[in-house]
């Protein structure tokens, strides 16, 4: 199987930890040169140091500031044409949809969909001139089955999924694939925060909350970030050249529909 990414340049967002960092590690292990983007410079520097190979770097940007994100994405695109793009950022706060402040929807829409759009627009000229590109968006299984207590997240993930499917139709003729990876319950600090919030609400321990999540998965365990990273890297690889416009759940079978 052709998985080699030597000579390719990747921009991986939300990559100072968790799923984004795991994606960068998998891409780098296949030979890609990575630029990591997130807010925390110290964590980014440490993250870059974990990547195999040479030439990796990081850029600091906060996805609550769309102009800054667009500027950094353009800076990245000037360093080398980005042909592999992983759109990822922190998940919105939990809570039921009906109780959410309307401003929380606007903020999530801006942080997820609008920032993705601005980064794609920065990367697109390079992808087009290279005649190839891979865009992978990290979203959630909630696009198939809404998750209780994640109202804003469920809503904005649906928007990103349909944006991505539309892009796949539009950009296919340029040799660019666009796909979504849908992580299930994956052991990262995001999941710990969700477990702590549920623990505070129910009185259950966070460990018991996580165990309950694991028991709801047919494989009876939580996912590991490298398992999501591997799926992202596969979709970026030459082996996945004919896969475009899909939602790929990586959830141990948890989603109860196809
Ligand atoms: N873990 C799960 O079980 C799970 C399941 C389904 C979906 N997801 C989704 O997958 C995505 C990644 O999740 P994760 O579990 O890897 O989360 P995580 O461990 O909390 O990592 C989030 C990453 O995004 C960065 N980030 C957060 N807010 C940012 C902002 N405003 N601007 C720029 N970067 C920002 C963080 O870095 P800095 O703090 O340095 O900025 C970090 O690198 C999230 O959207 C999450 O909701 C996760």
């Amino acid at each position: 199987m052709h998985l080699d990414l030597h000579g390719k340049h990747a921009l991986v967002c939300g990559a100072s930890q968790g799923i984004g960092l795991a994606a960068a590690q998998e891409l780098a292990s296949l030979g890609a040169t990575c630029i990591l983007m997130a807010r925390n410079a110290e964590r980014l520097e440490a993250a870059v140091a974990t990547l195999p190979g040479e030439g990796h770097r990081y850029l600091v940007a906060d996805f609550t500031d769309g102009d800054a994100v667009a500027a950094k994405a353009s800076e990245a695109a000037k360093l080398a044409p980005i042909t592999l793009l992983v759109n990822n950022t922190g998940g919105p706060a939990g809570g039921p949809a009906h109780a959410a402040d309307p401003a929380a929807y606007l903020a999530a829409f801006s942080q997820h969909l609008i920032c993705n759009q601005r980064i794609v627009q920065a990367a697109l000229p390079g992808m087009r001139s290279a005649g190839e590109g891979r865009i992978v968006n990290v979203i959630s299984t909630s696009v198939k089955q809404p998750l209780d207590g994640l109202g804003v997240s469920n809503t904005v993930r649906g928007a990103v999924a349909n944006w991505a499917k539309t892009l796949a139709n539009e950009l296919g003729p340029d040799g660019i694939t666009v796909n979504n990876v849908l992580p299930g319950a994956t052991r990262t600090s995001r999941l710990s925060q969700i477990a702590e919030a549920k623990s505070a609400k129910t009185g259950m321990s966070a460990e018991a909350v996580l165990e309950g999540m694991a028991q709801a998965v047919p494989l009876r365990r939580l996912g590991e970030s490298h398992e999501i990273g591997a799926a992202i890297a596969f979709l970026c690889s030459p082996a996945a050249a004919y896969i475009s416009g899909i939602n790929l759940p990586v959830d141990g079978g948890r989603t109860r529909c196809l």
Side-chain angles (χ1 to χ4, degrees):
M1 185 156 48
H2 190 183
L3 298 172
D4 185 32
L5 293 176
H6 282 92
K8 310 283 184 201
H9 293 270
L11 174 60
V12 188
C13 303
S16 63
Q17 62 179 24
I19 291 167
L21 173 56
Q25 287 166 336
E26 298 293 334
L27 289 165
S29 75
L30 296 178
T33 306
C34 298
I35 299 177
L36 314 191
M37 204 192 277
R39 292 168 301 183
N40 186 310
E42 217 169 287
R43 269 208 300 262
L44 281 164
E45 196 171 345
V48 164
T50 69
L51 303 184
E54 303 282 306
H56 311 296
R57 54 169 75 208
Y58 67 87
L59 292 170
V60 175
D62 186 337
F63 277 47
T64 61
D65 180 349
D67 289 339
V69 168
K72 293 290 173 160
S74 300
E75 190 180 328
K78 277 188 200 123
L79 294 169
I82 295 156
T83 56
L84 314 176
L85 169 61
V86 180
N87 284 317
N88 176 52
T89 184
H98 69 270
D101 186 330
Y105 285 99
L106 279 174
F109 200 77
S110 171
Q111 180 173 344
H112 289 258
L113 190 113
I114 304 299
C115 282
N116 288 357
Q117 169 75 1
R118 297 188 78 163
I119 296 166
V120 164
Q121 286 180 333
L124 207 44
M127 289 185 183
R128 282 192 161 129
S129 60
E132 60 173 12
R134 298 300 163 86
I135 300 170
V136 180
N137 308 297
V138 178
I139 45 176
S140 166
T141 57
S142 64
V143 299
K144 289 177 169 283
Q145 191 181 356
L147 297 168
D148 291 345
L150 289 173
V152 173
S153 179
N154 292 342
T155 307
V156 73
R157 307 301 186 175
V160 173
N162 277 297
W163 167 80
K165 183 69 179 167
T166 307
L167 283 185
N169 293 340
E170 293 173 358
L171 302 180
D174 295 309
I176 298 167
T177 69
V178 188
N179 294 294
N180 301 317
V181 166
L182 320 182
T186 309
R187 216 186 280 280
T188 66
S189 69
R190 162 82 171 166
L191 194 68
S192 305
Q193 282 161 18
I194 290 172
E196 295 290 346
K198 193 157 179 196
S199 164
K201 217 155 110 201
T202 61
M204 286 168 76
S205 70
E207 293 69 33
V209 172
L210 290 172
E211 183 51 28
M213 287 180 185
Q215 289 309 312
V217 178
L219 289 176
R220 297 292 188 271
R221 66 174 178 85
L222 300 173
E224 301 296 336
S225 53
H226 71 84
E227 294 175 302
I228 316 299
I232 295 167
F234 171 71
L235 289 170
C236 288
S237 75
Y242 203 55
I243 300 175
S244 193
I246 67 159
N247 285 326
L248 175 61
V250 187
D251 67 349
R254 184 186 67 177
T255 304
R256 302 285 161 169
C257 59
L258 288 173

